[in-house]
Amino acid sequence: MSLGSAVELLRGGILETLIISMPILLVGMVVGLIISIIQATTSIQEQTITFVPKIAAILIAIVLLGPWMLTSLREFTIRLFSQIGNLP
């Protein structure tokens, strides 16, 4: 295995991780922003209020996006395993 192919495999793994995690992170960020705006307008400064809606939204996003995430990971793993035979 050359250095170029190892770097390419590592880059593909990092890119796949970013693509899979981005929707979940965006859901958490949007829900946190909405709760922060609500807290600022109502002058409620309790820090723990953001956790329950954020966790619920992230769990719902994982349930909805779970099949896509697993399919994407499965396809990446199949591509990775198919490249093993082509290595010198």
Side-chain angles (χ1 to χ4, degrees):
M1 173 183 267
S2 68
L3 181 61
S5 61
V7 169
E8 184 66 27
L9 288 175
L10 185 62
R11 186 188 71 79
I14 291 172
L15 184 64
E16 189 73 24
T17 303
L18 288 174
I19 290 171
I20 289 174
S21 65
M22 190 60 62
I24 304 300
L25 293 173
L26 286 175
V27 165
M29 186 180 70
V30 168
V31 169
L33 181 66
I34 291 170
I35 297 298
S36 296
I37 291 171
I38 291 171
Q39 282 182 329
T41 57
T42 60
S43 298
I44 298 173
Q45 297 302 322
E46 181 63 36
Q47 295 295 325
T48 58
I49 291 176
T50 60
F51 291 121
V52 173
K54 205 183 289 189
I55 289 172
I58 289 173
L59 286 175
I60 290 170
I62 288 173
V63 167
L64 293 176
L65 295 173
W68 169 76
M69 293 165 59
L70 288 175
T71 302
S72 180
L73 276 175
R74 182 176 51 91
E75 290 172 359
F76 176 74
T77 304
I78 290 170
R79 274 195 322 265
L80 192 63
F81 284 166
S82 67
Q83 291 177 358
I84 290 175
N86 298 334
L87 294 176

